[in-house]
Amino acid sequence: MRAPFSFFFCLGLLALSVPAAADLFVAATGADQNPGSAAKPFATLGRALAAAADGADKRIVVLPGRYALAHGLVLDARHRGVSIHGEPGAVLTGSVAVPSSATTEVDADLARRLPPQAGAHVRQIAVNRLGLSGADFQRPRGFTVTSDAPSELFVGGRAQELARWPNEGMVPIYEVIDAGQGQGTGTAPVIRVDSSRPATWGPGDVWAYGYWKWDWADEGIPVESIREATLTLKAAHHYGIAKGQPIRFENVIEELDRPGECAIVGNRLVFWPSSEHGRIEISRVGEPLLTLDNGSNVQIEGLTFENSRGRALELRESEVVAIDRCTFQGLGGNAATATGCRNVRFLACKVEETGEGGFFLDCGDRATLSPSHVVVLDCSFRRFMRRVRTYRPAVRLNGVGITVGNCDFRDAPHSAILFGGNDHLIEHNRFVDLLSDTGDGGAVYGGRDWTARGTVIRENLFARIRGMRKWENAVYLDDQFSGTLVERNVFVECHWAMLIGGGRENVVRDNLLLGCTLGFSTDARGLGWAASTLATLKERLAAVPATQEPWRKRYPDLVDILNNQPMAPMRNVLEGNVLVRSGRITDRLDPTFDRLGTVKDNPSLTLAGWRLTSGGFALDPALQKALAEWPKVAGLQRQSYGPGH
């Protein structure tokens, strides 16, 4: 794979002063009274970090084994130069192991409520005997919720789902009897579903989860009472409740009808294990497993972080940090957060089955537009919205100068990348099978900000971004988002390739579209239904020094924007894009957008002849010949996308 990035100069900054020989060892069979040598290792990483907190460069080797933390560990300025190297099979977990002796037959009163097929498969854990509260297994979650994840049950490393109805998909709200007063105040919401199923459920801590008002805002709400098909909720949804919106019901012991499901009733956890012989654990640690606070010259490599309530890593005000070849899985929160950091790399990491996303990055100084030199490179992200299914992306970008390159994103219900801030680079990535069951979103999304300019989205592959077939886009520049360059990408069989929602000075050029329902949607929403967003846009403009250097020179359009038709789609460019069986550039081209911008040389072809491959896509000879007239897009089929390609 060729190295496409101009930012590789920063690898010198990321070079770490690691001794050739290992200094400290950690082993599951060790003892913290030992000296930490290869022959007499420590038992815990916490003890090794304490021994390494002397200001001298130290290398800690974590030998294969599972290391359960009772609380998070902290590295700080005393750990300058520390390297933590995990050998294959070295796992840090925020869970407590459940011994086989703690699992029993199900109490008779609960066994009577189980479906017939559950039978002898189902077991019970008295969680209070493990020092865990049964109430901790249910907590609010969703689009506007920021609470920590509850405890979860894991069998063989797989999170067990709360028993639910329906098993697949959701059911529509048949009637809204009372929408409630919002924000959990006033009258309680009352809804009805078109089924007698809820009438068969006994008492318990049932929750309803779904998209109560909009297809892009999920939330879990506890149920106060059930009377036949009518349900009274304990709180109102943030946006209200609408008839026909999809919901489901969770933690219903009467619906515990397949392997991998569980239900919590008081202090009793009832479960049908997904594996008869798998390791049983319950997550308990809510804080980050590792925190680096004001640290420098630190490397963490080869570790697996799993089965914790919170995130794995939190980096704060640190510099020259490398997170290499780490795996993040089964977490209740997101994988890692970096705030106020410089010269950080995430290299060849794997994020899978996390509850609320991947890497959330807010680094670089917007006031001076000083780049952070943070990079996410050769990483893979799979099923990274296990608990909250909207606005918990694989990568969230804010600040200045972050690069996401050669990564692979797939299998998620909503966005892969959400970006704000300035001057980011999103290049040579692969985005596949995203936005699977949400509406009005983008695989790569930015919205409602004139000032978040300078990001380049270049030479990526977007495939099968389909969603609910409403307003789902591979790239979505929403509500006046401005100053983004989108060039030389390939969009294959997406619902909509791209939407520009009224913004300014966006340049979209030399992209190849294959078999998309719609190529481009452009509008002048700021002059119509979205005029009310002006207040938010002005607030965000006032938050940056737009009239001062270096902003004045870097983004001259912002200097006098309030006196220059601020809500009009000024100076956008659509040029050199080739649409193959993807409609025409004029299909949803707003006349004002066209008049105030540049739209030219965007041919539409009706040929077929492409297929998706493991490494990207392939074109048949006839289509290759037809594309040869546009050499910039013709060459894209030779581009590599994603890690290892």
Side-chain angles (χ1 to χ4, degrees):
M1 177 183 68
R2 70 182 181 90
F5 300 101
S6 61
F7 60 80
F8 272 119
F9 73 89
C10 71
L11 291 183
L13 298 173
L14 289 165
L16 301 170
S17 52
V18 178
D23 294 304
L24 301 169
F25 285 82
V26 179
T29 57
D32 281 352
Q33 295 76 28
N34 286 343
S37 63
K40 294 185 176 181
F42 296 131
T44 65
L45 179 57
R47 177 65 182 89
L49 289 173
D54 56 8
D57 294 343
K58 290 285 175 61
R59 183 171 186 246
I60 299 170
V61 174
V62 184
L63 297 173
R66 296 184 65 79
Y67 302 87
L69 302 182
H71 54 79
L73 304 176
V74 178
L75 294 79
D76 53 30
R78 298 171 300 162
H79 294 93
R80 176 181 172 84
V82 166
S83 168
I84 303 174
H85 171 79
E87 291 289 307
V91 178
L92 290 187
T93 174
S95 62
V96 58
V98 178
S100 58
S101 59
T103 66
T104 64
E105 293 185 359
V106 180
D107 291 341
D109 64 317
L110 298 183
R112 286 192 293 268
R113 298 173 60 182
L114 290 167
Q117 64 265 42
H121 300 290
V122 177
R123 305 290 288 168
Q124 178 178 303
I125 300 170
V127 295
N128 57 326
R129 297 180 183 176
L130 300 174
L132 298 170
S133 168
D136 196 37
F137 283 80
Q138 286 278 51
R139 285 192 173 192
R141 77 183 197 273
F143 170 63
T144 62
V145 178
T146 58
S147 69
D148 293 336
S151 294
E152 295 181 276
L153 174 68
F154 293 84
V155 177
R158 174 184 166 187
Q160 308 296 279
E161 294 184 333
L162 291 171
R164 53 178 280 189
W165 178 76
N167 273 338
E168 305 296 337
M170 297 185 178
V171 295
I173 298 172
Y174 183 73
E175 181 182 2
V176 180
I177 299 171
D178 187 337
Q181 297 301 308
Q183 303 294 341
T185 63
T187 61
V190 182
I191 63 171
R192 191 157 66 92
V193 295
D194 188 19
S195 173
S196 60
R197 194 69 166 256
T200 66
W201 303 338
D205 188 18
V206 175
W207 285 55
Y209 167 84
Y211 305 97
W212 298 91
K213 179 70 172 181
W214 307 113
D215 299 324
W216 43 263
D218 62 328
E219 189 170 339
I221 302 175
V223 175
E224 177 70 42
S225 63
I226 301 173
R227 184 177 179 182
E228 297 181 345
T230 300
L231 301 101
T232 300
L233 308 179
K234 290 184 179 181
H237 182 259
H238 182 81
Y239 290 113
I241 301 176
K243 178 180 178 179
Q245 286 298 109
I247 61 172
R248 69 180 184 229
F249 299 92
E250 300 176 336
N251 198 43
V252 185
I253 191 170
E254 288 83 2
E255 302 295 342
L256 207 166
D257 57 2
R258 59 182 179 174
E261 288 191 329
C262 62
I264 182 76
V265 183
N267 283 314
R268 295 175 291 179
L269 180 60
V270 181
F271 67 106
W272 183 342
S274 55
S275 169
E276 290 296 331
H277 305 290
R279 179 182 60 252
I280 301 175
E281 298 173 308
I282 295 175
S283 57
R284 62 173 172 177
V285 178
E287 66 265 28
L289 295 180
L290 288 182
T291 296
L292 178 59
D293 190 2
N294 197 30
S296 62
N297 206 37
V298 171
Q299 184 176 29
I300 301 170
E301 64 173 352
L303 286 176
T304 293
F305 301 87
E306 69 177 30
N307 300 6
S308 190
R309 284 173 47 205
R311 63 177 59 100
L313 296 178
E314 185 164 311
L315 313 179
R316 301 194 296 254
E317 304 295 334
S318 298
E319 62 179 359
V320 192
V321 180
I323 311 298
D324 294 349
R325 297 181 295 102
C326 290
T327 297
F328 305 85
Q329 60 192 26
L331 302 167
N334 67 303
T337 297
T339 306
C341 298
R342 298 184 71 252
N343 298 315
V344 175
R345 79 176 179 220
F346 293 87
L347 177 65
C349 292
K350 177 182 177 183
V351 176
E352 189 167 300
E353 298 289 348
T354 53
E356 298 195 32
F359 302 147
F360 293 0
L361 312 173
D362 189 353
C363 303
D365 186 355
R366 291 198 75 200
T368 62
L369 293 178
S370 299
S372 63
H373 299 299
V374 172
V375 300
V376 179
L377 185 63
D378 283 323
C379 296
S380 66
F381 302 84
R382 302 283 191 282
R383 298 179 297 280
F384 45 85
M385 294 186 200
R386 183 171 50 81
R387 293 187 60 256
V388 179
R389 299 176 68 79
T390 61
Y391 289 94
R392 300 300 194 272
V395 180
R396 186 191 300 273
L397 302 176
N398 280 300
V400 185
I402 302 173
T403 293
V404 181
N406 281 12
C407 295
D408 192 276
F409 304 87
R410 63 179 65 226
D411 300 333
H414 202 240
S415 302
I417 295 180
L418 300 179
F419 71 101
N422 301 90
D423 303 341
H424 306 305
L425 177 62
I426 301 169
E427 184 176 51
H428 290 194
N429 304 288
R430 182 164 51 192
F431 302 88
V432 182
D433 293 330
L434 302 168
L435 296 170
S436 61
D437 62 13
T438 53
D440 194 8
V444 176
Y445 176 95
R448 201 165 295 184
D449 199 338
W450 289 321
T451 72
R453 296 175 174 237
T455 291
V456 176
I457 303 170
R458 174 190 296 151
E459 295 186 356
N460 303 282
L461 172 66
F462 297 88
R464 296 196 300 262
I465 313 297
R466 293 173 175 147
M468 301 178 72
R469 311 303 202 275
K470 292 184 178 180
W471 304 280
E472 294 77 47
N473 303 272
V475 177
Y476 196 161
L477 307 182
D478 198 11
D479 288 354
Q480 314 300 121
F481 203 82
S482 302
T484 303
L485 172 61
V486 182
E487 66 175 359
R488 293 178 56 76
N489 300 281
V490 180
F491 303 90
V492 182
E493 298 171 12
C494 297
H495 180 53
W496 291 7
M498 186 170 176
L499 186 149
I500 303 176
R504 304 159 70 92
E505 298 193 314
N506 297 294
V507 177
V508 181
R509 66 190 180 202
D510 303 329
N511 298 284
L512 174 61
L513 285 63
L514 301 171
C516 298
T517 306
L518 178 72
F520 299 98
S521 177
T522 65
D523 60 54
R525 65 183 62 187
L527 300 176
W529 62 266
S532 61
T533 62
L534 177 61
T536 300
L537 293 163
K538 290 172 69 174
E539 178 182 329
R540 292 174 179 174
L541 177 65
V544 300
T547 62
Q548 303 173 24
E549 298 298 347
W551 279 79
R552 185 181 184 91
K553 182 177 181 180
R554 181 75 174 85
Y555 307 121
D557 180 53
L558 293 177
V559 175
D560 196 36
I561 190 171
L562 295 178
N563 298 316
N564 185 22
Q565 303 182 67
M567 300 299 281
M570 304 285 287
R571 294 182 293 279
N572 292 287
V573 176
L574 292 177
E575 182 176 5
N577 305 287
V578 179
L579 292 74
V580 180
R581 290 191 174 239
S582 301
R584 300 165 299 176
I585 198 72
T586 56
D587 284 347
R588 285 181 66 100
L589 178 61
D590 181 273
T592 303
F593 184 100
D594 187 12
R595 176 173 56 82
L596 296 178
T598 300
V599 180
K600 64 178 184 178
D601 300 332
N602 298 286
S604 176
L605 307 180
T606 58
L607 291 172
W610 66 84
R611 67 182 185 279
L612 289 168
T613 68
S614 60
F617 67 100
L619 306 175
D620 69 17
L623 185 51
Q624 289 187 50
K625 182 178 179 181
L627 291 175
E629 188 174 343
W630 298 276
K632 289 184 179 179
V633 299
L636 284 172
Q637 62 178 303
R638 293 186 295 274
Q639 183 58 58
S640 55
Y641 305 90
H645 296 279

